[in-house]
Amino acid sequence: MMKEGVIIKAISIKRQGERKHFQIRLPKDTKFIIGIEYGGRLISRSEGTVEVPAPKAKADAKLVEAIYSAIESGAVRDDKPKAFFKRNQLIGELKLQSCEEANWFYAADVFGNDANLNWGDFSQTGFPVNDFTHGNKRTEEIVKVDAESTIINGWYLDALGKSQKLDINYEIKVYVWINVEE
Amino acid sequence: MLKATKKRFDIKILVANSTVSETFELEKNIVKVHGVLVTSDKDDLLYYRGTQKIEINKEEFFPDNYESKLLMSGINVAPKQRYYDLGGVAPGNGRVQISYKDLDDGRTVFTPYRVSLYLDCEMEDEL
């Protein structure tokens, strides 16, 4: 009988632009890798670091940022600049490779909270919109990869510290969902 | 006859960076556990700081360091879809163990809070 399980790998990032290579060991009775999830935790920030994931900026910079966001996302402009969609904070890049197959079987841009969760909501004075109150249910991304060699090679590249030009100490957790033969 | 029921178990987190383990017992007439959900009276602390291990009948469903945010659902999710689907687990001895770990996160300031574990169960009518 097949049973599901999850293996957790924590990746600690301390320096801006840090690149980490890591391995995830799976149990010997693993048959398939069936899903990938990720999460993260901010451990500490250097002095003067802006809030994650919504960076504070000067008004002018905000406007420029909004215009760039709009151009990149193809958002429709409203009358006021504040009505633009905001870009989500990019935390880093994550890639995973199995020894069973060539190339990456999973590659993702790791993003922070959804910066546009409150889009179109006009009731924010009473009940502010946040990920922890209004967020969607999170589920794993489905993959199907043989796991006979029981090792996954991974690669992570920091983008948060690089974009802020600061050393930010945080932890990314990679969740590998597996099928195990009982 | 089988009917759906929801169970709630609470734990208190009083000290920052601590681990709280508790075992709860389900009623004998519960035949299946379909889903699991965690909430709190201070959602932000649970979301950013929480990780937990959950065992049912000594079988581990979520290992140590599994982040609580992955088992949370906001009010944007339809009530019937909020639970994490376990696929109808037999509760066996009915013991549910949660081992919750609070860890500092740069975005929050600790204050004591409550963590609630909800289980979506199916029970036999006692008639």
Side-chain angles (χ1 to χ4, degrees), chain B:
Chain B
M1 203 178 88
L2 295 172
K3 66 175 184 183
T5 182
K6 308 280 191 286
K7 293 286 164 195
R8 171 181 158 174
F9 305 105
D10 289 351
I11 54 173
K12 294 264 186 203
I13 315 302
L14 303 171
V15 182
N17 300 314
S18 63
T19 302
V20 178
S21 292
E22 277 199 50
T23 304
F24 303 100
E25 218 159 294
L26 293 169
E27 286 98 328
K28 300 286 179 218
N29 56 342
I30 286 180
V31 292
K32 275 182 184 172
V33 181
H34 288 290
V36 62
L37 174 75
V38 289
T39 65
S40 171
D41 59 346
K42 296 185 177 70
D43 295 305
D44 52 338
L45 299 188
L46 177 65
Y47 187 88
Y48 290 119
R49 303 173 65 100
T51 65
Q52 76 280 296
K53 178 170 91 166
I54 297 176
E55 288 181 355
I56 301 173
N57 188 27
K58 288 190 176 171
E59 193 178 342
E60 186 181 271
F61 284 90
F62 300 99
D64 262 332
N65 297 319
Y66 194 87
E67 286 171 288
S68 304
K69 70 178 76 158
L70 302 178
L71 295 178
M72 292 172 76
S73 292
I75 58 167
N76 278 347
V77 183
K80 284 196 87 169
Q81 295 166 4
R82 284 180 190 165
Y83 286 78
Y84 190 100
D85 187 16
L86 293 179
V89 176
N93 62 12
R95 281 174 183 265
V96 178
Q97 193 192 33
I98 179 167
S99 183
Y100 180 87
K101 196 195 287 178
D102 173 86
L103 275 172
D104 268 337
D105 181 283
R107 290 163 287 189
T108 53
V109 178
F110 181 83
T111 175
Y113 60 106
R114 184 201 77 218
V115 175
S116 300
L117 171 71
Y118 284 83
L119 296 176
D120 179 17
C121 305
E122 198 174 329
M123 71 192 292
E124 261 176 10
D125 231 339
E126 285 175 297
L127 291 175

Side-chain angles (χ1 to χ4, degrees), chain A:
Chain A
M1 204 178 91
M2 294 288 239
K3 207 177 85 173
E4 282 185 16
V6 61
I7 305 295
I8 303 172
K9 173 75 181 178
I11 308 156
S12 174
I13 300 294
K14 289 181 178 147
R15 287 179 290 111
Q16 57 175 296
E18 190 172 344
R19 188 187 305 256
K20 273 261 166 94
H21 291 268
F22 56 92
Q23 285 195 328
I24 303 173
R25 291 183 183 276
L26 306 175
K28 281 184 182 168
D29 47 1
T30 307
K31 287 290 162 200
F32 297 103
I33 301 161
I34 54 171
I36 305 290
E37 265 179 296
Y38 63 77
R41 184 169 71 90
L42 183 64
I43 295 169
S44 67
R45 296 175 278 165
S46 309
E47 198 60 33
T49 311
V50 290
E51 193 62 37
V52 176
K56 287 174 189 166
K58 287 180 184 170
D60 295 349
K62 223 178 212 174
L63 184 61
V64 172
E65 176 84 359
I67 290 165
Y68 277 119
S69 300
I71 292 165
E72 279 176 24
S73 65
V76 180
R77 192 186 184 285
D78 202 338
D79 288 331
K80 296 170 187 170
K82 67 177 181 182
F84 282 123
F85 277 110
K86 282 179 257 167
R87 185 192 300 141
N88 287 345
Q89 174 73 58
L90 179 65
I91 308 292
E93 286 175 52
L94 172 68
K95 292 177 181 177
L96 300 174
Q97 185 184 25
S98 158
C99 296
E100 303 294 317
E101 292 174 26
N103 303 324
W104 309 109
F105 73 85
Y106 181 82
D109 287 331
V110 176
F111 284 102
N113 294 347
D114 185 353
N116 298 297
L117 201 60
N118 59 356
W119 178 256
D121 183 280
F122 303 104
S123 60
Q124 285 184 55
T125 46
F127 192 3
V129 177
N130 287 301
D131 273 83
F132 44 86
T133 52
H134 293 65
N136 290 324
K137 189 165 84 171
R138 297 174 61 152
T139 52
E140 76 274 18
E141 242 177 278
I142 294 169
V143 296
K144 178 107 181 186
V145 180
D146 279 341
E148 277 179 27
S149 60
T150 69
I151 282 191
I152 297 174
N153 292 312
W155 176 89
Y156 180 81
L157 174 66
D158 167 67
L160 178 65
K162 205 174 172 185
S163 67
Q164 311 283 344
K165 295 189 171 42
L166 284 166
D167 293 336
I168 300 174
N169 186 4
Y170 64 97
E171 188 182 71
I172 292 291
K173 278 186 182 147
V174 182
Y175 300 84
V176 181
W177 284 91
I178 51 173
N179 255 347
V180 177
E181 195 161 41
E182 271 193 303

